[in-house]
Amino acid sequence: MLIVLLGPPAAGKGTQAKKICNSLSIPHISTGSILRQNISEKTPLGEVASLYINKGDLVPDEVIIAVVKDRLRQPDCAKGALLDGFPRTLRQAEELDELIQVDKVIDIEVSRQILTERVTGRRVCKNCGTNYHISVYTESNCNCGGSLQTREDDTEAALAVRLNNYDKQTLPLRQYYAGDNRLIQVSGIGTPAEVFERIKEALA
Ligand code: AP5
C-alpha cells in the first residue's frame, strides 16, 4: 500500500508516520529528513537543499522528484511505503501518479495557533532524529543518548514562509486527491495516540 501524508508544517506528520509504518510494516520516506541528512553530510543534494530549506522555501520540483523516484525504486518499497512531505505541489502529485499507484492520502488538520506551539517547542535528536516537544519531554538528551537541538527552520519567521508555501502550493492537493476519493481528512488535535486511533479507523 502506498500512503501519502499531507498536512501543514508541524501538524504531526512525522509523529504519525512512525506509528503507521510500524503497524503496516512499510518504510517511512520523509523528504524533509532525507534533505536534512544530506545537508548534514554536505552532499551535492544537501548543498542545493540548504539554499531553500532553512528559509522555509520548497526545494525545486525537479530536485525532489528525482530523490523520491530513486527512493521508491529501492527494494524495501516493493510492498508499499509511506510518503511524508511529498508531494507538496501539483506537479509533484502528477509525477507521482505517473510513477506509482497512490492508494490513500491522509490529510492531518491542525489550527494555526497549535502549529506555532508545536514548531517552537519541537526538539530533534541529533543522533536518531526522534522528535520531542518541550511541553511533555523535559530531559536534555534523547532516549538514545543523543543531544536535542532545534531545527534551523523552526523559527517563527521560517514558519510564516512555510505556511504561506503550504497555502499556495500544497493545499490545492486536497482537491486533487478528493476528486477520486483517495483523500482522508483527520483532525490532528489531541494526543499522538488519539490521532493515530483516528487514522487507523479511517484506513480500516
Ligand atoms: P519537512 O521536514 O517535511 O517539514 P514540514 O512539512 O514542515 O513538517 P515538519 O517536519 O515540520 O512537521 P511534522 O508535520 O512532521 O510534525 P512532527 O511530527 O515533527 O520539510 C522541511 C523542508 O524540506 C520544507 O520546508 C522544504 O524546504 C523541504 N521539502 C521537504 N519535502 C519537500 C517537497 N516535497 N518539495 C519541496 N521541498 C520539500 O510534530 C511537530 C511537533 O509537534 C513535535 O515536537 C512533536 O513532538 C509534536 N507533536 C506531534 N503530534 C502531536 C500531538 N498530537 N500533540 C502534541 N504534540 C504533538
Side-chain angles (χ1 to χ4, degrees), residues 115-161:
L115 294 178
T116 306
E117 287 165 13
R118 288 188 184 174
V119 157
T120 50
R122 172 167 47 195
R123 299 292 179 271
V124 184
C125 174
K126 201 174 175 184
N127 186 31
C128 69
T130 299
N131 283 322
Y132 294 95
H133 197 276
I134 53 171
S135 63
V136 289
Y137 190 81
T138 51
E139 306 294 324
S140 52
N141 283 327
C142 174
N143 287 326
C144 80
S147 60
L148 300 183
Q149 57 186 19
T150 304
R151 259 171 53 175
E152 297 222 22
D153 60 345
D154 275 353
T155 59
E156 290 208 30
L159 178 64
V161 176

Short mmCIF file of all heavy atoms in Angstrom, two decimals, residues 115-161:
data_model
loop_
_atom_site.label_atom_id
_atom_site.label_comp_id
_atom_site.label_asym_id
_atom_site.label_seq_id
_atom_site.Cartn_x
_atom_site.Cartn_y
_atom_site.Cartn_z
N LEU A 115 -0.12 24.84 15.53
CA LEU A 115 1.10 24.60 14.71
C LEU A 115 2.27 25.41 15.24
O LEU A 115 3.39 24.91 15.35
CB LEU A 115 0.85 24.99 13.25
CG LEU A 115 -0.16 24.17 12.46
CD1 LEU A 115 -0.30 24.73 11.05
CD2 LEU A 115 0.25 22.71 12.40
N THR A 116 1.99 26.67 15.59
CA THR A 116 3.07 27.53 16.10
C THR A 116 3.63 26.96 17.41
O THR A 116 4.85 26.90 17.62
CB THR A 116 2.55 28.97 16.31
OG1 THR A 116 1.96 29.41 15.10
CG2 THR A 116 3.66 29.93 16.70
N GLU A 117 2.73 26.51 18.29
CA GLU A 117 3.19 25.93 19.57
C GLU A 117 4.03 24.68 19.32
O GLU A 117 5.05 24.45 19.96
CB GLU A 117 1.99 25.55 20.45
CG GLU A 117 1.28 26.77 21.04
CD GLU A 117 -0.10 26.41 21.61
OE1 GLU A 117 -0.42 25.21 21.77
OE2 GLU A 117 -0.86 27.35 21.87
N ARG A 118 3.58 23.85 18.35
CA ARG A 118 4.32 22.61 18.09
C ARG A 118 5.69 22.89 17.48
O ARG A 118 6.67 22.23 17.80
CB ARG A 118 3.49 21.69 17.17
CG ARG A 118 2.31 21.08 17.90
CD ARG A 118 1.60 20.04 17.07
NE ARG A 118 0.41 19.55 17.76
CZ ARG A 118 -0.47 18.72 17.26
NH1 ARG A 118 -0.30 18.26 16.04
NH2 ARG A 118 -1.52 18.32 17.96
N VAL A 119 5.76 23.90 16.60
CA VAL A 119 7.05 24.22 15.97
C VAL A 119 8.02 24.79 16.98
O VAL A 119 9.18 24.36 17.06
CB VAL A 119 6.85 25.23 14.80
CG1 VAL A 119 8.14 25.99 14.52
CG2 VAL A 119 6.43 24.50 13.55
N THR A 120 7.56 25.76 17.77
CA THR A 120 8.50 26.43 18.65
C THR A 120 8.94 25.53 19.81
O THR A 120 10.01 25.74 20.38
CB THR A 120 7.93 27.76 19.19
OG1 THR A 120 6.62 27.51 19.70
CG2 THR A 120 7.83 28.81 18.10
N GLY A 121 8.15 24.49 20.12
CA GLY A 121 8.52 23.60 21.22
C GLY A 121 9.19 22.31 20.76
O GLY A 121 9.51 21.46 21.58
N ARG A 122 9.39 22.17 19.45
CA ARG A 122 9.96 20.91 18.96
C ARG A 122 11.46 20.85 19.19
O ARG A 122 12.19 21.82 18.97
CB ARG A 122 9.68 20.74 17.47
CG ARG A 122 10.43 19.54 16.89
CD ARG A 122 9.98 19.14 15.52
NE ARG A 122 9.85 20.24 14.61
CZ ARG A 122 9.20 20.17 13.45
NH1 ARG A 122 8.63 19.03 13.10
NH2 ARG A 122 9.13 21.22 12.67
N ARG A 123 11.95 19.70 19.63
CA ARG A 123 13.39 19.43 19.72
C ARG A 123 13.63 18.09 19.02
O ARG A 123 12.82 17.17 19.14
CB ARG A 123 13.87 19.33 21.18
CG ARG A 123 13.66 20.61 21.99
CD ARG A 123 14.54 21.78 21.53
NE ARG A 123 14.28 22.98 22.31
CZ ARG A 123 13.36 23.90 22.02
NH1 ARG A 123 12.60 23.75 20.95
NH2 ARG A 123 13.18 24.96 22.78
N VAL A 124 14.74 18.01 18.29
CA VAL A 124 15.01 16.83 17.48
C VAL A 124 16.34 16.23 17.90
O VAL A 124 17.33 16.96 18.10
CB VAL A 124 15.08 17.21 15.98
CG1 VAL A 124 15.27 15.98 15.11
CG2 VAL A 124 13.82 17.96 15.56
N CYS A 125 16.38 14.90 18.03
CA CYS A 125 17.63 14.24 18.41
C CYS A 125 18.63 14.29 17.26
O CYS A 125 18.31 13.90 16.13
CB CYS A 125 17.36 12.79 18.80
SG CYS A 125 18.89 11.89 19.12
N LYS A 126 19.83 14.78 17.57
CA LYS A 126 20.87 14.91 16.55
C LYS A 126 21.32 13.54 16.05
O LYS A 126 21.76 13.38 14.92
CB LYS A 126 22.07 15.64 17.19
CG LYS A 126 22.98 16.28 16.21
CD LYS A 126 24.05 17.10 16.90
CE LYS A 126 25.01 17.61 15.84
NZ LYS A 126 26.13 18.33 16.39
N ASN A 127 21.15 12.54 16.90
CA ASN A 127 21.64 11.20 16.60
C ASN A 127 20.63 10.37 15.81
O ASN A 127 20.92 9.91 14.71
CB ASN A 127 21.99 10.53 17.95
CG ASN A 127 22.64 9.19 17.76
OD1 ASN A 127 23.34 9.00 16.77
ND2 ASN A 127 22.42 8.28 18.67
N CYS A 128 19.40 10.21 16.35
CA CYS A 128 18.44 9.29 15.70
C CYS A 128 17.26 10.01 15.05
O CYS A 128 16.44 9.37 14.40
CB CYS A 128 17.92 8.26 16.71
SG CYS A 128 16.84 8.96 17.97
N GLY A 129 17.15 11.33 15.22
CA GLY A 129 16.10 12.08 14.54
C GLY A 129 14.74 12.07 15.22
O GLY A 129 13.78 12.64 14.69
N THR A 130 14.64 11.44 16.40
CA THR A 130 13.34 11.42 17.09
C THR A 130 12.92 12.83 17.48
O THR A 130 13.74 13.64 17.91
CB THR A 130 13.43 10.54 18.37
OG1 THR A 130 13.78 9.22 17.96
CG2 THR A 130 12.12 10.50 19.13
N ASN A 131 11.61 13.11 17.29
CA ASN A 131 11.04 14.42 17.65
C ASN A 131 10.50 14.40 19.07
O ASN A 131 9.86 13.43 19.48
CB ASN A 131 9.82 14.72 16.77
CG ASN A 131 10.23 15.18 15.40
OD1 ASN A 131 11.19 15.90 15.25
ND2 ASN A 131 9.49 14.74 14.40
N TYR A 132 10.73 15.48 19.79
CA TYR A 132 10.13 15.64 21.13
C TYR A 132 9.48 17.00 21.19
O TYR A 132 9.77 17.88 20.36
CB TYR A 132 11.21 15.57 22.21
CG TYR A 132 11.88 14.21 22.33
CD1 TYR A 132 13.07 13.95 21.66
CD2 TYR A 132 11.31 13.20 23.10
CE1 TYR A 132 13.69 12.71 21.76
CE2 TYR A 132 11.93 11.96 23.21
CZ TYR A 132 13.11 11.72 22.54
OH TYR A 132 13.71 10.50 22.64
N HIS A 133 8.62 17.18 22.20
CA HIS A 133 8.08 18.52 22.44
C HIS A 133 8.37 18.89 23.88
O HIS A 133 8.17 18.07 24.79
CB HIS A 133 6.57 18.57 22.17
CG HIS A 133 6.08 19.97 22.02
ND1 HIS A 133 5.76 20.76 23.09
CD2 HIS A 133 5.95 20.75 20.92
CE1 HIS A 133 5.41 21.96 22.66
NE2 HIS A 133 5.52 21.98 21.35
N ILE A 134 8.85 20.13 24.08
CA ILE A 134 9.31 20.52 25.42
C ILE A 134 8.19 20.52 26.45
O ILE A 134 8.45 20.45 27.63
CB ILE A 134 10.02 21.90 25.41
CG1 ILE A 134 9.12 22.95 24.76
CG2 ILE A 134 11.36 21.82 24.72
CD1 ILE A 134 9.66 24.37 24.92
N SER A 135 6.92 20.54 26.00
CA SER A 135 5.82 20.55 26.97
C SER A 135 5.64 19.18 27.62
O SER A 135 5.07 19.09 28.71
CB SER A 135 4.52 20.97 26.29
OG SER A 135 4.18 20.03 25.30
N VAL A 136 6.12 18.12 26.95
CA VAL A 136 5.95 16.78 27.54
C VAL A 136 7.28 16.08 27.81
O VAL A 136 7.32 15.06 28.49
CB VAL A 136 5.05 15.86 26.66
CG1 VAL A 136 3.62 16.30 26.70
CG2 VAL A 136 5.56 15.79 25.23
N TYR A 137 8.39 16.61 27.28
CA TYR A 137 9.68 15.95 27.46
C TYR A 137 10.68 16.98 27.96
O TYR A 137 11.01 17.93 27.24
CB TYR A 137 10.14 15.34 26.12
CG TYR A 137 11.35 14.42 26.24
CD1 TYR A 137 11.19 13.10 26.64
CD2 TYR A 137 12.64 14.88 25.97
CE1 TYR A 137 12.29 12.25 26.75
CE2 TYR A 137 13.74 14.04 26.08
CZ TYR A 137 13.55 12.72 26.47
OH TYR A 137 14.63 11.88 26.58
N THR A 138 11.15 16.80 29.17
CA THR A 138 11.98 17.84 29.78
C THR A 138 13.46 17.45 29.90
O THR A 138 14.27 18.23 30.39
CB THR A 138 11.44 18.21 31.18
OG1 THR A 138 11.28 17.00 31.91
CG2 THR A 138 10.11 18.94 31.09
N GLU A 139 13.82 16.23 29.44
CA GLU A 139 15.23 15.81 29.52
C GLU A 139 16.04 16.59 28.46
O GLU A 139 15.49 17.03 27.45
CB GLU A 139 15.36 14.32 29.20
CG GLU A 139 14.49 13.40 30.06
CD GLU A 139 14.90 13.42 31.52
OE1 GLU A 139 16.11 13.50 31.78
OE2 GLU A 139 14.00 13.37 32.37
N SER A 140 17.36 16.71 28.69
CA SER A 140 18.17 17.43 27.70
C SER A 140 18.72 16.49 26.63
O SER A 140 19.23 16.95 25.60
CB SER A 140 19.30 18.22 28.36
OG SER A 140 20.01 17.36 29.21
N ASN A 141 18.63 15.17 26.86
CA ASN A 141 19.08 14.22 25.86
C ASN A 141 17.95 13.29 25.45
O ASN A 141 16.99 13.08 26.19
CB ASN A 141 20.23 13.36 26.41
CG ASN A 141 21.53 14.14 26.43
OD1 ASN A 141 21.77 14.99 25.58
ND2 ASN A 141 22.35 13.86 27.41
N CYS A 142 18.11 12.72 24.26
CA CYS A 142 17.15 11.74 23.73
C CYS A 142 17.28 10.43 24.52
O CYS A 142 18.29 10.19 25.19
CB CYS A 142 17.50 11.51 22.26
SG CYS A 142 16.57 10.23 21.43
N ASN A 143 16.30 9.55 24.38
CA ASN A 143 16.39 8.22 24.99
C ASN A 143 17.60 7.44 24.50
O ASN A 143 18.13 6.59 25.20
CB ASN A 143 15.12 7.40 24.67
CG ASN A 143 13.94 7.91 25.46
OD1 ASN A 143 14.10 8.36 26.60
ND2 ASN A 143 12.77 7.86 24.86
N CYS A 144 18.07 7.75 23.26
CA CYS A 144 19.23 7.03 22.71
C CYS A 144 20.54 7.65 23.19
O CYS A 144 21.61 7.16 22.87
CB CYS A 144 19.17 7.03 21.17
SG CYS A 144 19.74 8.57 20.42
N GLY A 145 20.45 8.77 23.93
CA GLY A 145 21.67 9.42 24.44
C GLY A 145 22.08 10.63 23.61
O GLY A 145 22.92 11.42 24.04
N GLY A 146 21.51 10.77 22.40
CA GLY A 146 21.87 11.89 21.51
C GLY A 146 21.39 13.22 22.08
O GLY A 146 20.41 13.28 22.82
N SER A 147 22.08 14.30 21.70
CA SER A 147 21.66 15.62 22.21
C SER A 147 20.48 16.14 21.38
O SER A 147 20.31 15.80 20.20
CB SER A 147 22.82 16.60 22.17
OG SER A 147 23.25 16.75 20.85
N LEU A 148 19.65 16.97 22.04
CA LEU A 148 18.46 17.51 21.38
C LEU A 148 18.77 18.90 20.86
O LEU A 148 19.42 19.70 21.53
CB LEU A 148 17.29 17.55 22.36
CG LEU A 148 16.87 16.19 22.93
CD1 LEU A 148 15.65 16.36 23.82
CD2 LEU A 148 16.56 15.19 21.82
N GLN A 149 18.28 19.19 19.66
CA GLN A 149 18.50 20.52 19.09
C GLN A 149 17.24 21.04 18.42
O GLN A 149 16.31 20.28 18.13
CB GLN A 149 19.67 20.48 18.10
CG GLN A 149 19.47 19.49 16.98
CD GLN A 149 20.70 19.35 16.09
OE1 GLN A 149 21.81 19.72 16.47
NE2 GLN A 149 20.51 18.83 14.89
N THR A 150 17.25 22.36 18.15
CA THR A 150 16.12 22.99 17.46
C THR A 150 16.43 23.01 15.97
O THR A 150 17.55 23.33 15.57
CB THR A 150 15.95 24.45 17.96
OG1 THR A 150 15.79 24.41 19.37
CG2 THR A 150 14.74 25.11 17.34
N ARG A 151 15.46 22.65 15.15
CA ARG A 151 15.67 22.68 13.70
C ARG A 151 15.86 24.12 13.22
O ARG A 151 15.20 25.02 13.71
CB ARG A 151 14.45 22.06 12.99
CG ARG A 151 14.68 20.65 12.54
CD ARG A 151 13.45 19.96 12.06
NE ARG A 151 12.70 20.66 11.02
CZ ARG A 151 11.63 20.16 10.42
NH1 ARG A 151 11.22 18.94 10.73
NH2 ARG A 151 10.98 20.84 9.51
N GLU A 152 16.72 24.29 12.20
CA GLU A 152 17.01 25.66 11.73
C GLU A 152 15.78 26.34 11.14
O GLU A 152 15.69 27.56 11.12
CB GLU A 152 18.13 25.62 10.69
CG GLU A 152 19.41 25.11 11.29
CD GLU A 152 20.62 25.90 10.81
OE1 GLU A 152 20.46 27.03 10.38
OE2 GLU A 152 21.72 25.32 10.89
N ASP A 153 14.82 25.54 10.63
CA ASP A 153 13.62 26.15 10.04
C ASP A 153 12.47 26.22 11.04
O ASP A 153 11.34 26.50 10.67
CB ASP A 153 13.19 25.42 8.76
CG ASP A 153 12.86 23.94 8.98
OD1 ASP A 153 13.22 23.40 10.05
OD2 ASP A 153 12.25 23.33 8.10
N ASP A 154 12.75 25.98 12.31
CA ASP A 154 11.70 26.08 13.33
C ASP A 154 11.68 27.44 14.03
O ASP A 154 11.45 27.55 15.23
CB ASP A 154 11.85 24.95 14.37
CG ASP A 154 11.15 23.66 13.91
OD1 ASP A 154 10.46 23.71 12.86
OD2 ASP A 154 11.29 22.64 14.59
N THR A 155 11.93 28.50 13.27
CA THR A 155 11.78 29.85 13.81
C THR A 155 10.41 30.37 13.37
O THR A 155 9.83 29.86 12.40
CB THR A 155 12.85 30.79 13.23
OG1 THR A 155 12.68 30.80 11.79
CG2 THR A 155 14.25 30.31 13.56
N GLU A 156 9.90 31.39 14.05
CA GLU A 156 8.59 31.94 13.65
C GLU A 156 8.66 32.51 12.24
O GLU A 156 7.70 32.41 11.48
CB GLU A 156 8.11 32.97 14.67
CG GLU A 156 7.73 32.28 15.98
CD GLU A 156 6.67 33.02 16.78
OE1 GLU A 156 5.83 33.71 16.19
OE2 GLU A 156 6.71 32.88 18.01
N ALA A 157 9.82 33.12 11.87
CA ALA A 157 9.95 33.71 10.53
C ALA A 157 9.89 32.62 9.45
O ALA A 157 9.17 32.76 8.46
CB ALA A 157 11.27 34.48 10.43
N ALA A 158 10.65 31.55 9.65
CA ALA A 158 10.64 30.47 8.64
C ALA A 158 9.28 29.78 8.62
O ALA A 158 8.80 29.37 7.55
CB ALA A 158 11.75 29.47 8.93
N LEU A 159 8.63 29.68 9.79
CA LEU A 159 7.30 29.05 9.81
C LEU A 159 6.31 29.85 8.97
O LEU A 159 5.49 29.27 8.25
CB LEU A 159 6.78 28.91 11.25
CG LEU A 159 5.38 28.31 11.35
CD1 LEU A 159 5.34 26.87 10.83
CD2 LEU A 159 4.85 28.37 12.78
N ALA A 160 6.41 31.18 9.04
CA ALA A 160 5.49 32.02 8.25
C ALA A 160 5.67 31.73 6.76
O ALA A 160 4.69 31.61 6.01
CB ALA A 160 5.74 33.50 8.55
N VAL A 161 6.93 31.57 6.32
CA VAL A 161 7.19 31.26 4.91
C VAL A 161 6.64 29.86 4.58
O VAL A 161 6.00 29.64 3.54
CB VAL A 161 8.72 31.32 4.61
CG1 VAL A 161 9.02 30.90 3.18
CG2 VAL A 161 9.26 32.71 4.90
#
